Structure formats: structure tokens, C-alpha cells
Amino acid sequence: MLNVEEQKFVETADAVIVGGGVVGLSLARKLALSSFGRIVLLERGQLGAEASHAAGGMLAAQAECDRPDPFLELACASRELYPALSLALLEETGINIELDQTGTLYLSFTEEDERETTHRYNWQSGAGLPVERLTGDEARRLEPCVSERAASALRFPLDWQVENRRLVAALATSAAKLGVHLLMGREVEAILIERGRVEGVQTARGKVFAPVVIVAGGAWASQLMAEVESAPAVRVEPVRGQMLCFDSRPSLARHVIYSPRGYLVPRLDGRLLAGSTTERAGFDKRVTAAGIHNILSNALEISPALANLPLVDAWSGLRPKVVDDLPLLGASAQTRGLFYAVGHYRNGILLAPVTAELVAEEVMTGAARPLMKPFTIERFLQAGVR
């Protein structure tokens, strides 16, 4: 668990960020780098201890997208920010976030898988995205651990990965060095609003007054949002994802390896992650026998050699999901000074850098960049969802 020195309660700020995961920390760092003023980040538990800690760290813009649309554009834009971000964080903090640029394999086993990957290859190559089509044998030459049953594969050379827990540590260290007040164990009970304008937040320890509040609380954001927005569709739902961790020394694989049913993520320290489930279980984060069985079945389909590895850990996290599976970014439609950076669902690690850039820019200038507009609250209001 990340350990950042506790700071005293701050009663006034220029901006309050609610939520200390990778998105909230990225925003805090970005605003601090822009000399925005006094920034207070309030986290209900420990920094990065929820979805950011549980994630696999894949930057899978192409593996996760099913069509050429604004979400793909957003995902690719964020992925492109990672090389510079990795170098900057290393310089600022001395922490290597372990950006691994080996790439991702996406395997096909069944006829349905083949149709899906053929469709994916056609639209991605047609859109000018880097994607390679491989036979099963070519995939096994790259990764000998791949099952003999794999008939073909796609390779995404720009779908990378980072060590998400090191990323959280680096962002928190950078933000603290830049003067951000990082306050843990501070659950926000309400957003303070007066005459249509935000005035700060209420916590159990008192109020923090600020003209800007950014909600980045992941799966716990719904209660705050429900109090200030009339569109019920903007509520954030927790979706449980379980993960398994194996000891893989020597390393079983170099690439991140996907199938349509699961994935393997090799870490530089010899761990091999296998995921994941998609479960509506409320805020229950227990690891279950059914979840373990599901992940193991899908992982063994990818690589039967996994059967010989010792299982060393298992955990789960709660992905924050909005009704249309897309993030909610930018200004509130009803309250001046209130902004959202929530609902990143399966792609919080991937989307954190671009979220920080876009939301921070709107906070500072009052203008939303075109890249962000498909993800604002206006999409619900225009559709008449209230």
C-alpha cells in the first residue's frame, strides 16, 4: 500500500479533487504543473488502493476497442502520452513505472473468434492503425507458451503496459513534491453548492471551501453525483473484476496475451497476472471460487503451460461503469465550477493521462477540447435522459 506522509486538514483551496486513484492523482499533478494554485486531494481510504491497485496495467487501446469511434480516438491519444509521462515521472520521482513496449497478442481459437479478429484487423488496418496478422505458428514463434489450439493471432505493437502500482506511487510522489495536499481517510459527504455554483465539499472532519471541485471518485462517485445532477444515467455502477497472480520465473511470456475471453500480463519481476471477471456484485470485493475457476479456464486456453505455475495471490477491484460504458469527463451541466473525471470502467490506467490533460484544460480555460466533447454530460441531456 502506498504510504504518503499525512498532511494537516486544509480549509480553503483553489481546487478540490475527490478521489485519489490514478485519475485523481493525474489531475492533481497536471494542475500543479500548471501552477493552478492550492490543490487539495481528498481520498476516502488510501491513495490508489481501489481499482488502480487491482488493475492489470494494460494500455490496450486497440485490443479493447470494437470500432473506429471517438472512444478509440481518446484511447489512442492517451496511449501516445505514456512514453513522455514515463520519462517525466522517472525524472520527477526516481520511480520507474515500467512502461513495457513489447506489444500485445490477440489470439483466435474458434470460428467465431476468427470472424471477430478478421473484422478487427480489417477496420483497424483500414483506419491506418498498426496491426499485424499472424498464423498460429507465427504467434507461437513469438511466444512459445501459446496453446497449439490457437489458430491465428493479431499483434498490436503499440498496445503496451505499465506497472499500475508503481504508476500510482510515482503520481502521488510527484503531486506531493509539487505541493498538492494529499489527504487520506477523508470521505467527502456532500458537494457544497450555492446559487448554482460550487463552493467546496463537506467531509466528516469539516468543510473545504473551493471554487472548483473535480469528482474523480471511481465507483464511489454516484452518491455525490446524484445530489447535483438530474440525469440518472450519469450514476456510476461498480463492476467487480477478479484477478489471479502466478509466479512465472523464468518468464512464461513477453507480450500481453489476449483472447476474447481472458488475458495474461507478464511483469518484469516475474509475476504473471491473469484476468478477469465482469460481475455486478455491488461493493463486494471478495474473491470467489467461481471467479477463480472462470479466470483459470480462460488463462489455460491461452497457455496450458500456466498449469505448472504456482498461484501466489488473488484480488479483485471495482471498475467504475456509466450506463453507456464510456467515461464522463468535464463540466457539470447544472453547477458552475463542478467537473467530472469518472466512469473509466476497464480503462482507467490507459485513460488517466488524457483525462488529466482534457479536464485540467477545461478547468483552467473554460473550454472543452473537441476530443472530450463526446464524453461530457451533454450526451445524456441531448438524448433526453433526465
Side-chain angles (χ1 to χ4, degrees):
M1 198 71 66
L2 183 64
N3 206 359
V4 173
E5 184 178 350
E6 179 66 32
Q7 301 180 27
K8 67 179 182 179
F9 193 76
V10 180
E11 294 183 346
T12 60
D14 295 293
V16 170
I17 297 171
V18 182
V22 68
V23 171
L25 288 168
S26 295
L27 269 160
R29 173 181 173 271
K30 184 65 179 179
L31 288 172
L33 285 170
S34 302
S35 301
F36 186 73
R38 177 180 286 189
I39 301 159
V40 174
L41 183 148
L42 301 170
E43 164 55 42
R44 59 186 293 278
Q46 295 294 311
L47 297 176
E50 296 295 346
S52 299
H53 185 82
M58 293 94 72
L59 309 180
Q62 291 173 243
E64 289 282 338
C65 290
D66 297 323
R67 64 189 67 86
D69 60 10
F71 181 77
L72 174 69
E73 185 180 0
L74 185 76
C76 289
S78 199
R79 182 181 64 183
E80 291 169 6
L81 295 174
Y82 261 99
L85 176 63
S86 175
L87 292 174
L89 288 173
L90 182 62
E91 182 176 344
E92 293 166 21
T93 69
I95 298 172
N96 180 3
I97 67 171
E98 297 181 2
L99 175 64
D100 185 328
Q101 296 174 287
T102 304
T104 294
L105 293 182
Y106 194 105
L107 306 180
S108 296
F109 291 91
T110 68
E111 289 184 5
E112 184 178 350
D113 292 350
E114 290 269 25
R115 286 192 293 270
E116 194 274 332
T117 53
T118 296
H119 173 69
R120 189 179 293 266
Y121 175 80
N122 287 340
W123 74 255
Q124 293 200 10
S125 58
L129 295 168
V131 55
E132 304 164 13
R133 198 165 192 172
L134 307 175
T135 66
D137 287 340
E138 288 171 333
R140 281 181 284 276
R141 280 197 286 273
L142 285 176
E143 292 290 2
C145 72
V146 166
S147 170
E148 290 292 331
R149 293 184 53 247
S152 67
L154 300 180
R155 180 173 180 269
F156 304 117
L158 299 187
D159 270 8
W160 305 321
Q161 64 151 309
V162 294
E163 214 301 333
N164 45 292
R165 297 174 186 180
R166 295 179 69 87
L167 173 63
V168 169
L171 289 169
T173 301
S174 174
K177 286 186 173 183
L178 290 165
V180 176
H181 296 265
L182 302 172
L183 304 180
M184 292 164 281
R186 308 295 173 88
E187 184 166 6
V188 174
E189 298 174 341
I191 297 170
L192 304 176
I193 299 170
E194 185 67 32
R195 296 179 182 177
R197 175 154 195 101
V198 76
E199 291 204 334
V201 297
Q202 175 73 56
T203 79
R205 297 199 191 184
K207 297 177 180 178
V208 183
F209 294 99
V212 171
V213 172
I214 307 172
V215 178
W220 285 265
S222 275
Q223 183 176 351
L224 294 176
M225 296 166 65
E227 294 174 357
V228 296
E229 298 294 348
S230 61
V234 305
R235 289 198 297 268
V236 181
E237 173 190 7
V239 178
R240 184 170 68 189
Q242 301 184 46
M243 295 279 283
L244 304 181
C245 179
F246 298 86
D247 185 345
S248 176
R249 287 176 287 187
S251 181
L252 188 70
R254 296 179 303 112
H255 291 76
V256 174
I257 308 178
Y258 267 80
S259 80
R261 290 161 289 281
Y263 55 80
L264 301 178
V265 184
R267 292 291 199 226
L268 294 181
D269 62 3
R271 289 176 297 145
L272 181 70
L273 309 186
S276 177
T277 60
T278 301
E279 306 167 87
R280 284 166 173 79
F283 288 91
D284 183 353
K285 294 199 298 177
R286 288 177 294 183
V287 175
T288 66
I292 292 172
H293 174 74
N294 178 262
I295 295 169
L296 277 176
S297 296
N298 296 330
L300 288 167
E301 179 186 43
I302 293 170
S303 177
L306 190 79
N308 299 317
L309 300 182
L311 178 64
V312 295
D313 201 358
W315 60 83
S316 75
L318 300 177
R319 306 181 186 99
K321 178 184 178 299
V322 177
V323 66
D324 60 2
D325 296 351
L326 298 175
L328 177 62
L329 309 177
S332 165
Q334 297 173 223
T335 304
R336 295 189 305 278
L338 178 62
F339 298 84
Y340 296 116
V342 296
H344 293 79
Y345 194 27
R346 297 169 55 91
N347 295 289
I349 304 299
L350 168 62
L351 295 176
V354 78
T355 295
E357 286 210 351
L358 295 174
V359 176
E361 182 176 314
E362 187 179 22
V363 168
M364 291 184 290
T365 69
R369 210 187 299 176
L371 182 63
M372 188 173 73
K373 287 188 176 179
F375 308 100
T376 69
I377 200 168
E378 292 296 330
R379 71 185 190 265
F380 297 111
L381 304 181
Q382 291 170 359
V385 180
R386 291 184 179 272

